[in-house]
């Protein structure tokens, strides 16, 4: 059964940049699950899924513009270091280029450290993956029909999906 709208797809992935450097991986943990046809994942990745079925292993490269968009210039902000997530020790170890998590009114978001300091820190608020072409190595574990509840919610439930 090829993947079609309202299927729940469970897959493992390895995400790497254009240099082949691994950025994220689900291997060693739970796979991801998503509801197909509901724009829950990057659209070019979702489009690539449609030809596939359980057990397939394939690679998709997604251009930066279709992934997290281009990097915005001038997105550097100086923020109090207490706005970052982490204990004092780990915050003191931050170096330029490190990824940190900042609490914002919209919730936690990942930022790139530009210039660490004792009380304030300069961070680049671009998404760490902005401006990067991304390669996904995908291994599809399972494809099943969504439940009516999942379709009503617009997302997958269970392992790798949403828990209520
Ligand atoms: Zn739900």
């Amino acid at each position: 059964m090829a993947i079609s709208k309202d299927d729940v797809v469970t897959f493992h992935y390895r995400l790497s940049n254009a240099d082949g450097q691994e950025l994220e991986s689900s291997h060693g943990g739970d796979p991801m699950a998503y509801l197909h046809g509901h724009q829950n994942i990057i659209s070019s990745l979702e489009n690539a899924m449609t030809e596939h079925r359980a057990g397939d292993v394939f690679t998709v490269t997604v251009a930066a513009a279709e992934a997290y968009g281009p990097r915005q210039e001038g997105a550097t902000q100086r923020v109090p270091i207490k706005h970052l997530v982490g204990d004092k020790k780990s915050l003191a170890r931050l170096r330029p280029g490190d990824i940190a998590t900042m609490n914002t009114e919209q919730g936690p978001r990942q930022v790139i450290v530009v210039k660490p300091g004792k009380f304030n820190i300069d961070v680049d608020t671009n998404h760490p993956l902005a401006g990067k072409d991304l390669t996904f190595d995908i291994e599809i574990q399972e494809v099943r029909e969504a439940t009516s509840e999942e379709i009503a919610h617009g997302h997958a439930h269970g392992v790798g999906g949403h828990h209520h």
Side-chain angles (χ1 to χ4, degrees):
M1 187 180 77
I3 293 167
S4 58
K5 191 170 193 302
D6 297 339
D7 282 340
V8 170
V9 182
T10 306
F11 65 98
H12 273 295
Y13 70 96
R14 178 180 179 273
L15 173 59
S16 46
N17 64 18
D19 302 325
Q21 184 194 353
E22 181 175 299
L23 303 170
E24 282 178 37
S25 173
S26 67
H27 293 277
D30 283 336
M32 279 239 326
Y34 79 98
L35 180 61
H36 190 80
H38 291 254
Q39 296 176 308
N40 288 344
I41 59 172
I42 294 170
S43 63
S44 26
L45 180 56
E46 186 165 41
N47 291 340
M49 290 282 195
T50 54
E51 304 156 34
H52 292 282
R53 56 197 69 219
D56 281 4
V57 175
F58 62 99
T59 297
V60 189
T61 297
V62 179
E66 295 171 41
Y68 292 91
R71 282 178 49 81
Q72 309 287 338
E73 293 303 322
T76 301
Q77 286 180 15
R78 177 159 296 177
V79 297
I81 200 159
K82 62 179 186 227
H83 289 189
L84 298 189
V85 176
D87 57 43
K88 267 190 181 157
K89 248 187 188 168
S90 59
L91 292 175
R93 276 199 300 266
L94 288 174
R95 294 289 171 265
D98 285 351
I99 308 292
T101 304
M102 180 168 83
N103 286 317
T104 73
E105 285 173 10
Q106 290 81 40
R109 67 179 288 173
Q110 288 193 312
V111 294
I112 307 162
V113 174
V114 176
K115 191 170 163 238
K118 198 164 183 195
F119 301 107
N120 295 295
I121 185 162
D122 291 354
V123 297
D124 181 337
T125 57
N126 278 296
H127 190 283
L129 298 179
K132 291 184 176 161
D133 294 339
L134 303 176
T135 298
F136 291 88
D137 293 307
I138 304 289
E139 284 181 36
I140 301 179
Q141 309 287 303
E142 188 194 19
V143 179
R144 63 167 170 86
E145 282 180 28
T147 63
S148 52
E149 191 184 45
E150 287 173 319
I151 293 169
H153 286 197
H155 55 229
H157 291 162
V159 172
H162 285 247
H163 301 272
H164 296 286

